[in-house]
Amino acid sequence: MTVRIAVLGASGYTGADLVRLALEHAEVEIVALSANAKAGQRIADVWPHFAMFPDLPRLVRAEDVDFAGLDVVFGCLPHAASAALLRDVRGPRIVDLSADFRLRNAAVYADWYGGVHPAPELLAGAVYGLTEFARAALPAARLVACPGCYPTAVLLGLLPLLQARLIAPERITVNALSGVSGAGRGLKEANLFAEVAEGVAPYAVGRHRHMPEIEQELGMAAGLPVTVSFTPHLVPMNRGELVTMIVETAAPLAALRTCLAERYVIEPFVHLLPDGVAPGTRMVRGSNHAVVNVFADRVPGRAIVVVAIDNLVKGSSGQALQNMNVMLGLPETAGLRQAPLFP
Amino acid sequence: MTVRIAVLGASGYTGADLVRLALEHAEVEIVALSANAKAGQRIADVWPHFAMFPDLPRLVRAEDVDFAGLDVVFGCLPHAASAALLRDVRGPRIVDLSADFRLRNAAVYADWYGGVHPAPELLAGAVYGLTEFARAALPAARLVACPGCYPTAVLLGLLPLLQARLIAPERITVNALSGVSGAGRGLKEANLFAEVAEGVAPYAVGRHRHMPEIEQELGMAAGLPVTVSFTPHLVPMNRGELVTMIVETAAPLAALRTCLAERYVIEPFVHLLPDGVAPGTRMVRGSNHAVVNVFADRVPGRAIVVVAIDNLVKGSSGQALQNMNVMLGLPETAGLRQAPLFP
Amino acid sequence: MTVRIAVLGASGYTGADLVRLALEHAEVEIVALSANAKAGQRIADVWPHFAMFPDLPRLVRAEDVDFAGLDVVFGCLPHAASAALLRDVRGPRIVDLSADFRLRNAAVYADWYGGVHPAPELLAGAVYGLTEFARAALPAARLVACPGCYPTAVLLGLLPLLQARLIAPERITVNALSGVSGAGRGLKEANLFAEVAEGVAPYAVGRHRHMPEIEQELGMAAGLPVTVSFTPHLVPMNRGELVTMIVETAAPLAALRTCLAERYVIEPFVHLLPDGVAPGTRMVRGSNHAVVNVFADRVPGRAIVVVAIDNLVKGSSGQALQNMNVMLGLPETAGLRQAPLFP
Amino acid sequence: MTVRIAVLGASGYTGADLVRLALEHAEVEIVALSANAKAGQRIADVWPHFAMFPDLPRLVRAEDVDFAGLDVVFGCLPHAASAALLRDVRGPRIVDLSADFRLRNAAVYADWYGGVHPAPELLAGAVYGLTEFARAALPAARLVACPGCYPTAVLLGLLPLLQARLIAPERITVNALSGVSGAGRGLKEANLFAEVAEGVAPYAVGRHRHMPEIEQELGMAAGLPVTVSFTPHLVPMNRGELVTMIVETAAPLAALRTCLAERYVIEPFVHLLPDGVAPGTRMVRGSNHAVVNVFADRVPGRAIVVVAIDNLVKGSSGQALQNMNVMLGLPETAGLRQAPLFP
């Protein structure tokens, strides 16, 4: 079986990491790569680390992609641009990595993303692709919305506990740390090396766009509206994402551990660490794995849940490929078996 | 006026930074530097960045320091070792940077630091040297305990709000990020470059030694026992410390800002940033300054307080020198006027 | 076909990276992992990034490895210790990553490594495993000495030019830059994060142990003794190695490029970059690839050859696996097809 | 005495570091700061690390600076723009940090900087401000051209040896490493954090603009034309510059050391390290100091000279202030006495 794919937006970090992983997937053939601003260039001009893959297709404009012969299209475009383009794609199934199809409510989208949704008619049919919690819906999906990187980490840590009613849906506090690739490859002074290195700071305090997505999914699990405190920080590293979450619970630590252990024992990519071992991003770098743990807090009635992922892999391109595998009935780990890179 | 000082433990990062700052203090004469394991070496052998200061004294063993002719002794030794040594020092006034004299209760010390306190008789007389809140007591102090780096950042952000009863003493959540120098210069695998770079992780989850110190001081401000959620993380940078704190409050953001503004407008080293500007460690690197801000949270009844300091300066050696200045009636900013180093 | 292997010294960075790559090699079964100081521990205790591979064998002492049932033993031990142990191994073929079997002359070894060679009788039969230049000898080899990381980069850049008599064997200047993993996982103050980050310095100026190895191999290619200027520097990054070499030549740039192009066009892991594109370590991170280029110098009669590799992969564990593949008649790229990781 | 200064181009890294140092100079009053693209903003909006200096003047357009009342103008503008503006400044003395007045020959400038020199009539009168070698000319200078960062490091290492005829002016090889701040604050993809971190590469191989400047000054010292091999590399650190230079010499190491020792013993900012100690950028970070050493090479007739500076201080703004001090008869170290910042 050969799956013919296109990657739209191949000049961004998520697009590039999707190409990297697809190259390791025996069933995938990369048929087209688009990048409007760099159309006509070879991929190695844009991504020197692909210099040794001369057979990769040249970059083209998205409108020049022949969608007819494709099986799957991966959208790695900015929000709004993604929906505007994908709306008219016929034929291939779509795995979108933008924010455009994550929120079920177009009005919430408009509030947070600053504009009318380009294709609200597609929202109802989109599957929210947190793979471990979407397996039933993926095989029939025509359009999959991959979760944001922060929501992926948060939800992997909290969904089982919330579904089991072991933690309260109120007063959830999420502290999040991200590597700089999460900010994208766009030219912003704030992302220059000398601005970021040797320092750390929060950003978007009190108003980050991943909040409504987190709250939508936690709310569905809890069966009532959820509002979280969420504070992301930029950390001087390329990759990696870590969330440290304070939750209220009446359950003992052992019950929380058992819940997570039972939920994840069968999962190839989500791992509960041994008691007391703190998740770190170095444990998952470059891989599709997530590591999870839960700790007692000194404040009675509180627990601390920690999750680490690679923001570009499980938080983005790896999960996209994992979703494609499930959609197509391929082995879920195909193309994703590489071990983390350390150091 | 010349202040004759000794630095005990000059081979650690806090000792070295104290020397750096003392070199810029016109009234200070560095008379003795101790480092037992490296006694006999020149300071430039231990700290190559002091190669251009050939007049600095050679390292000696602490017991070989002649305390008689000194005005002030700075203790930059590990906990327990510090109290054991300083207990018998007569003559000079003492500014201690270890944990030994921070906790007022020797039993609490024993719980957290794993041993009987070496000099419990000194605890009652020690002044807790968070300078901005200790000015009345410092001039008469014989022994000053400099706060830990995390407590310094936490207390600068919360004490004014707690004293004004604007925030609740319950359910305080502190998320803390520290540069690697905070882990000291000891040989631990976990602190090797290749273990730390390109990654981030929490450590001492639920049980960090700075907790009882934070709780002691917040409890005194609140007038009742306080327990906090505190989770520190190691960030791949040399210096810098940032705390992001979720607090419960019935007050509007403006009231919180006004409280902090009024408290700190006169302070040379603590600065409330403009509305909406997030504190970052790059704003204070190498300097004794702290930057503070408060934000509304989306969760009603919560606010987010953020503080950034340089862990080795305001969080350690700079504050020690600031304390010395106040103790001796010198200008508080003497030796501490250098601007932050960026980039 | 299944190749049963052991990795001796699995608690060091090269050992760990060999395990990572072996996990991606469909024909390899990891039967034993040794680490004397950490014997008895699970691999995930020593390498948290292997937490998701619970089936990896526990660490044992090297003397407890049952060599009888093995096909290949990889030695990732320190020099001297490696030869002392491997000397007595019977049965499996040996791929050694230490310095012990690289130098053909035991007296030179003694000069540079400070001791009598533990097994000089093995030197004559050892194959110097710079794979691209050792293919004829590898299939019959019982003992392969993998080149040092610096020699690998230097030789890939210079051997074809020297063999073609296009550059002079005199006055070769090598400037080398290495990531910190090259210094190993041993506890040295110089390798602590805070000592290394935000700085750069040369080390072992004029006397690095990779010199005699470089000179031996260049000398064999030139047919006369060669002495090089070689200055390595430690760079604040985990992985990667870059050599910038000034050579004397009477040939035009085009001739140098043609020589390298023709030599490497068939190689799966060595790539001449387009004219004017500078090799960088980010192009090869985590992969077994090497990127090479040559530039005209403004000084007439000189050219600049630049090579980048990942010190732990092509400079160490990847090349070891590549050698094993050739020894056993497996596809040379088996287990080594993953694309570089960027960013 | 108060020296009234303006800094033109205060939104770049060199401009900011000049402000930092000027703040520590008791005799300097910062009267005006220009930054055309950010005119009207407060300095703290552009440089958050100056948040604690509210009295600094607001940024204005360069043409709105009132030059009449100034004593010294520092030009931190891009090349060509600098000369075009400074050409018409009357009144204050000028210390320029751009490349515009470093090359004595306008034709060479046109070759390397791609355009007709905007003010060739000023070249003859400009003093090349490598302070240690320009003290005689500085007091009378109206226009001082501060050397480039690379030339500063190269010349400090080689000028004394060349003037003493201890090294040959032929076959000088310079390998240079620079922190990323040297690339400026402009928005270029190549300078984004995720492009630079965890990697190293050479740039401008064979054709960097600092070459003609190095050759001009070495040529003047040698009394004949000099051409050097010069290869700069970008290193993932904010600050710091290191040059490793291979030179040909008939002199023994001791003679080279004696030459440097005698030349620099009286210098406050240039330090010959003890025999065998390698210069590193961490020894000088944030300071105006340079550290120098020379080593024997294994290749007979060669020596290795290594110099480390902070590219933004001795390589730029610090040296500019040092020049101002000498021009005005102030103590040469005024404003520049701070010790290096480590870690």
Side-chain angles (χ1 to χ4, degrees):
Chain A
M1 172 175 185
T2 296
V3 183
R4 294 166 52 85
I5 72 165
V7 179
L8 307 183
S11 61
Y13 292 134
T14 55
D17 227 33
L18 192 45
V19 171
R20 174 179 71 92
L21 296 167
L23 283 166
E24 302 181 29
H25 193 306
E27 274 75 46
V28 167
E29 180 189 355
I30 301 172
V31 174
L33 299 172
S34 89
N36 287 14
K38 299 185 176 174
Q41 297 189 42
R42 286 168 310 162
I43 190 88
D45 297 331
V46 173
W47 296 112
H49 68 299
F50 289 147
M52 55 290 295
F53 298 95
D55 297 336
L56 282 170
R58 247 174 215 273
L59 295 170
V60 297
R61 296 182 56 81
E63 44 269 53
D64 294 337
V65 173
D66 177 11
F67 291 102
L70 298 175
D71 297 303
V72 179
V73 168
F74 290 93
C76 301
L77 298 166
H79 69 86
S82 193
L85 183 80
L86 295 172
R87 183 178 47 188
D88 301 321
V89 170
R90 297 290 174 270
R93 297 166 82 177
I94 295 171
V95 179
D96 186 42
L97 290 84
S98 84
D100 282 351
F101 303 104
R102 296 173 189 162
L103 297 174
R104 275 136 226 255
N105 184 326
V108 174
Y109 179 91
D111 274 0
W112 286 83
Y113 288 92
V116 173
H117 194 288
E121 69 280 8
L122 296 180
L123 292 179
V127 170
Y128 186 78
L130 185 68
T131 323
E132 286 74 12
F133 295 83
R135 286 202 188 95
L138 286 167
R142 257 202 45 79
L143 170 58
V144 174
C146 291
C149 50
Y150 289 126
T152 294
V154 170
L155 297 173
L156 288 177
L158 300 189
L159 278 187
L161 302 174
L162 207 51
Q163 290 172 338
R165 301 288 181 262
L166 287 172
I167 61 171
E170 297 87 20
R171 294 204 191 85
I172 294 172
T173 298
V174 179
N175 196 87
L177 308 175
S178 175
V180 186
S181 62
R185 210 186 197 190
L187 295 182
K188 286 182 238 161
E189 189 176 277
N191 297 336
L192 292 176
F193 182 90
E195 305 289 315
V196 175
E198 262 292 296
V200 74
Y203 68 99
V205 183
R207 56 186 158 77
H208 190 279
R209 283 172 169 170
H210 282 179
M211 281 177 167
E213 183 184 340
I214 292 170
E215 295 171 356
Q216 165 184 287
E217 298 300 313
L218 291 181
M220 286 177 55
L224 79 179
V226 169
T227 309
V228 299
S229 297
F230 174 76
T231 316
H233 301 72
L234 201 63
V235 171
M237 59 186 189
N238 285 330
R239 287 171 178 258
E241 199 153 273
L242 187 114
V243 291
T244 300
M245 305 184 280
I246 310 293
V247 293
E248 311 221 327
T249 178
L253 179 61
L256 303 175
R257 280 190 60 80
T258 299
C259 172
L260 291 170
E262 292 180 349
R263 174 62 189 84
Y264 289 132
V265 65
I266 50 136
E267 290 295 342
F269 293 123
V270 188
H271 311 275
L272 178 67
L273 294 177
D275 195 16
V277 176
T281 62
R282 67 178 230 179
M283 298 177 183
V284 296
R285 185 155 64 230
S287 84
N288 198 49
H289 293 285
V291 285
V292 181
N293 215 344
V294 56
F295 302 83
D297 193 5
R298 288 186 68 234
V299 178
R302 282 186 161 187
I304 305 171
V305 181
V306 184
V307 182
I309 60 171
D310 183 317
N311 59 307
L312 291 181
V313 193
K314 182 60 181 169
S316 181
S317 303
Q319 185 155 257
L321 213 55
Q322 186 185 358
N323 282 331
M324 181 200 80
N325 287 337
V326 179
M327 291 166 79
L328 302 179
L330 295 167
E332 189 168 328
T333 60
L336 299 168
R337 293 189 193 96
Q338 63 275 27
L341 186 76
F342 176 81
Chain B
M1 172 176 184
T2 295
V3 184
R4 292 166 54 86
I5 72 165
V7 178
L8 307 183
S11 61
Y13 293 133
T14 54
D17 227 34
L18 190 46
V19 170
R20 174 179 72 92
L21 296 166
L23 283 166
E24 301 180 29
H25 193 306
E27 274 76 45
V28 166
E29 181 189 356
I30 301 171
V31 175
L33 298 172
S34 91
N36 286 16
K38 299 185 175 174
Q41 296 190 43
R42 287 167 310 162
I43 190 88
D45 297 332
V46 174
W47 296 113
H49 68 298
F50 290 147
M52 55 288 296
F53 298 94
D55 297 337
L56 281 170
R58 245 175 216 274
L59 295 170
V60 297
R61 295 181 55 81
E63 45 268 52
D64 294 338
V65 173
D66 177 13
F67 291 102
L70 298 174
D71 297 303
V72 178
V73 168
F74 291 93
C76 301
L77 298 166
H79 70 86
S82 194
L85 183 81
L86 295 172
R87 183 177 49 189
D88 301 321
V89 169
R90 298 286 174 272
R93 297 166 82 178
I94 295 171
V95 179
D96 186 42
L97 289 84
S98 85
D100 282 351
F101 303 105
R102 296 173 189 163
L103 297 174
R104 275 135 228 258
N105 184 324
V108 174
Y109 178 92
D111 273 359
W112 286 84
Y113 288 92
V116 174
H117 195 288
E121 69 280 8
L122 295 180
L123 293 179
V127 170
Y128 186 78
L130 184 69
T131 323
E132 285 73 12
F133 295 83
R135 286 203 187 91
L138 285 168
R142 257 203 43 77
L143 170 60
V144 173
C146 291
C149 50
Y150 290 125
T152 294
V154 170
L155 297 172
L156 288 176
L158 299 189
L159 278 187
L161 302 174
L162 207 53
Q163 290 173 338
R165 301 288 180 262
L166 287 173
I167 60 171
E170 296 88 19
R171 294 204 191 84
I172 293 172
T173 298
V174 179
N175 196 86
L177 308 174
S178 174
V180 186
S181 63
R185 210 186 197 192
L187 295 182
K188 285 182 239 162
E189 190 176 276
N191 298 335
L192 293 176
F193 181 89
E195 305 288 316
V196 175
E198 262 293 296
V200 74
Y203 66 100
V205 184
R207 55 187 160 76
H208 189 280
R209 283 170 168 171
H210 283 179
M211 281 177 168
E213 182 183 340
I214 291 170
E215 294 172 356
Q216 165 184 286
E217 298 299 313
L218 291 180
M220 287 178 55
L224 78 180
V226 169
T227 309
V228 299
S229 295
F230 174 78
T231 315
H233 300 72
L234 200 63
V235 171
M237 59 186 189
N238 286 330
R239 289 171 177 256
E241 200 153 271
L242 186 113
V243 291
T244 300
M245 305 183 280
I246 311 293
V247 293
E248 309 221 329
T249 178
L253 180 61
L256 302 175
R257 281 190 59 81
T258 299
C259 170
L260 291 170
E262 291 180 349
R263 175 62 188 84
Y264 290 133
V265 64
I266 49 136
E267 289 296 342
F269 293 123
V270 189
H271 312 275
L272 178 67
L273 294 177
D275 195 15
V277 176
T281 62
R282 66 177 230 179
M283 298 177 182
V284 297
R285 187 156 62 230
S287 84
N288 199 49
H289 295 285
V291 285
V292 181
N293 215 343
V294 57
F295 302 82
D297 193 3
R298 287 186 69 234
V299 179
R302 283 185 159 188
I304 305 171
V305 181
V306 184
V307 182
I309 61 171
D310 183 317
N311 59 306
L312 291 180
V313 192
K314 183 59 180 171
S316 182
S317 304
Q319 184 155 257
L321 213 56
Q322 186 184 358
N323 282 330
M324 181 200 82
N325 287 336
V326 178
M327 291 166 80
L328 302 180
L330 295 166
E332 189 168 325
T333 59
L336 298 168
R337 290 187 196 98
Q338 63 275 26
L341 186 76
F342 177 81
Chain C
M1 173 177 184
T2 296
V3 184
R4 293 166 52 85
I5 71 165
V7 179
L8 307 182
S11 62
Y13 292 133
T14 54
D17 227 33
L18 192 46
V19 170
R20 173 179 72 93
L21 297 167
L23 283 167
E24 302 181 28
H25 193 305
E27 275 75 46
V28 166
E29 182 190 354
I30 301 172
V31 175
L33 299 172
S34 90
N36 286 16
K38 300 183 175 176
Q41 298 189 41
R42 286 169 309 162
I43 190 89
D45 297 332
V46 173
W47 296 113
H49 68 298
F50 290 146
M52 56 289 294
F53 297 95
D55 296 337
L56 281 170
R58 247 175 215 275
L59 295 170
V60 297
R61 296 182 55 80
E63 45 268 52
D64 294 337
V65 173
D66 176 12
F67 292 102
L70 297 174
D71 297 303
V72 179
V73 168
F74 290 92
C76 300
L77 298 165
H79 68 88
S82 193
L85 183 81
L86 295 172
R87 183 178 47 190
D88 301 322
V89 170
R90 297 289 174 271
R93 298 167 82 177
I94 295 171
V95 179
D96 186 42
L97 290 84
S98 85
D100 283 352
F101 303 106
R102 296 174 189 161
L103 298 174
R104 275 134 227 257
N105 185 326
V108 174
Y109 178 92
D111 274 359
W112 286 85
Y113 288 91
V116 173
H117 194 288
E121 69 280 8
L122 295 179
L123 292 179
V127 170
Y128 186 78
L130 184 68
T131 324
E132 286 75 10
F133 295 83
R135 286 202 188 94
L138 286 168
R142 259 202 41 80
L143 169 58
V144 174
C146 291
C149 50
Y150 290 126
T152 294
V154 169
L155 297 172
L156 288 176
L158 299 189
L159 278 187
L161 302 174
L162 206 53
Q163 289 173 338
R165 300 289 181 262
L166 287 172
I167 61 170
E170 297 88 21
R171 294 204 191 84
I172 293 171
T173 298
V174 179
N175 196 87
L177 308 174
S178 175
V180 185
S181 62
R185 211 187 196 190
L187 296 181
K188 287 181 236 163
E189 189 176 278
N191 297 336
L192 293 175
F193 181 90
E195 306 287 315
V196 175
E198 260 293 298
V200 73
Y203 67 99
V205 184
R207 56 188 159 77
H208 189 279
R209 282 171 169 172
H210 283 179
M211 281 177 167
E213 183 184 340
I214 291 170
E215 294 171 355
Q216 165 184 287
E217 298 299 313
L218 292 180
M220 286 178 55
L224 78 180
V226 168
T227 309
V228 300
S229 296
F230 174 77
T231 316
H233 301 72
L234 201 63
V235 171
M237 58 186 188
N238 285 330
R239 287 170 178 256
E241 199 153 273
L242 186 113
V243 292
T244 300
M245 305 184 279
I246 311 292
V247 293
E248 310 221 328
T249 178
L253 178 61
L256 302 175
R257 280 190 60 80
T258 300
C259 171
L260 291 169
E262 292 180 350
R263 175 63 188 83
Y264 289 132
V265 65
I266 49 136
E267 290 295 343
F269 294 123
V270 188
H271 312 275
L272 179 67
L273 294 177
D275 195 16
V277 176
T281 62
R282 66 177 230 179
M283 298 178 183
V284 297
R285 185 156 62 228
S287 84
N288 199 49
H289 294 285
V291 286
V292 181
N293 214 343
V294 57
F295 301 82
D297 193 3
R298 287 187 69 234
V299 178
R302 283 187 160 186
I304 306 171
V305 181
V306 183
V307 182
I309 60 171
D310 182 316
N311 59 306
L312 291 181
V313 192
K314 182 60 181 169
S316 181
S317 303
Q319 184 155 257
L321 213 55
Q322 187 185 358
N323 282 330
M324 181 200 81
N325 287 337
V326 178
M327 291 166 80
L328 302 179
L330 295 167
E332 190 168 328
T333 59
L336 299 168
R337 292 188 195 97
Q338 63 274 27
L341 186 77
F342 175 81
Chain D
M1 172 178 185
T2 295
V3 184
R4 293 165 53 85
I5 71 165
V7 179
L8 307 182
S11 61
Y13 292 133
T14 55
D17 227 33
L18 192 44
V19 171
R20 174 179 71 93
L21 297 166
L23 283 166
E24 301 180 29
H25 193 305
E27 274 76 47
V28 166
E29 180 189 356
I30 300 171
V31 175
L33 299 173
S34 90
N36 286 16
K38 299 184 175 174
Q41 297 189 43
R42 286 167 309 162
I43 190 89
D45 298 331
V46 174
W47 296 113
H49 68 298
F50 289 147
M52 55 290 295
F53 297 95
D55 297 336
L56 282 170
R58 245 175 215 273
L59 295 171
V60 297
R61 295 183 57 81
E63 44 268 53
D64 294 338
V65 172
D66 177 12
F67 291 102
L70 298 174
D71 297 303
V72 178
V73 168
F74 290 93
C76 300
L77 299 166
H79 69 87
S82 193
L85 183 81
L86 295 171
R87 183 179 47 189
D88 300 321
V89 169
R90 298 287 175 270
R93 297 166 83 176
I94 295 171
V95 179
D96 186 43
L97 290 83
S98 85
D100 282 351
F101 302 105
R102 295 172 190 163
L103 297 174
R104 275 133 228 256
N105 185 324
V108 174
Y109 177 91
D111 273 359
W112 286 83
Y113 289 92
V116 174
H117 195 287
E121 70 280 9
L122 295 180
L123 293 179
V127 170
Y128 186 79
L130 185 68
T131 324
E132 287 74 11
F133 295 83
R135 286 203 188 92
L138 285 168
R142 258 202 44 77
L143 169 59
V144 174
C146 291
C149 51
Y150 289 126
T152 294
V154 169
L155 297 172
L156 289 176
L158 299 189
L159 278 186
L161 302 174
L162 206 52
Q163 289 172 338
R165 301 288 181 263
L166 286 172
I167 61 170
E170 296 88 18
R171 296 204 189 85
I172 294 171
T173 298
V174 179
N175 196 87
L177 307 175
S178 175
V180 186
S181 63
R185 211 186 197 192
L187 294 182
K188 284 181 239 163
E189 189 176 278
N191 297 336
L192 293 175
F193 181 90
E195 305 288 314
V196 175
E198 261 294 296
V200 74
Y203 66 100
V205 183
R207 57 188 158 78
H208 190 280
R209 283 171 168 171
H210 283 179
M211 280 177 168
E213 181 183 341
I214 291 170
E215 294 172 356
Q216 166 184 288
E217 297 300 312
L218 291 180
M220 286 177 55
L224 78 180
V226 168
T227 310
V228 300
S229 296
F230 174 77
T231 315
H233 301 71
L234 200 64
V235 172
M237 58 185 190
N238 285 330
R239 288 170 177 257
E241 199 154 272
L242 186 114
V243 290
T244 300
M245 304 184 280
I246 310 293
V247 294
E248 310 223 327
T249 177
L253 179 61
L256 302 175
R257 281 190 59 81
T258 300
C259 171
L260 291 170
E262 292 180 348
R263 175 61 188 83
Y264 289 132
V265 65
I266 50 137
E267 289 296 341
F269 293 122
V270 189
H271 312 275
L272 179 67
L273 294 177
D275 195 16
V277 176
T281 62
R282 65 177 231 178
M283 298 177 182
V284 297
R285 185 157 61 230
S287 84
N288 199 49
H289 294 285
V291 286
V292 181
N293 214 344
V294 56
F295 302 82
D297 192 5
R298 287 186 69 235
V299 178
R302 284 185 160 187
I304 304 170
V305 181
V306 184
V307 182
I309 61 172
D310 183 318
N311 59 307
L312 291 180
V313 192
K314 183 59 182 171
S316 181
S317 303
Q319 185 154 257
L321 214 56
Q322 186 185 358
N323 281 332
M324 182 200 81
N325 286 337
V326 178
M327 290 166 81
L328 302 179
L330 295 166
E332 189 168 327
T333 60
L336 299 168
R337 291 189 194 97
Q338 63 275 28
L341 185 77
F342 177 82

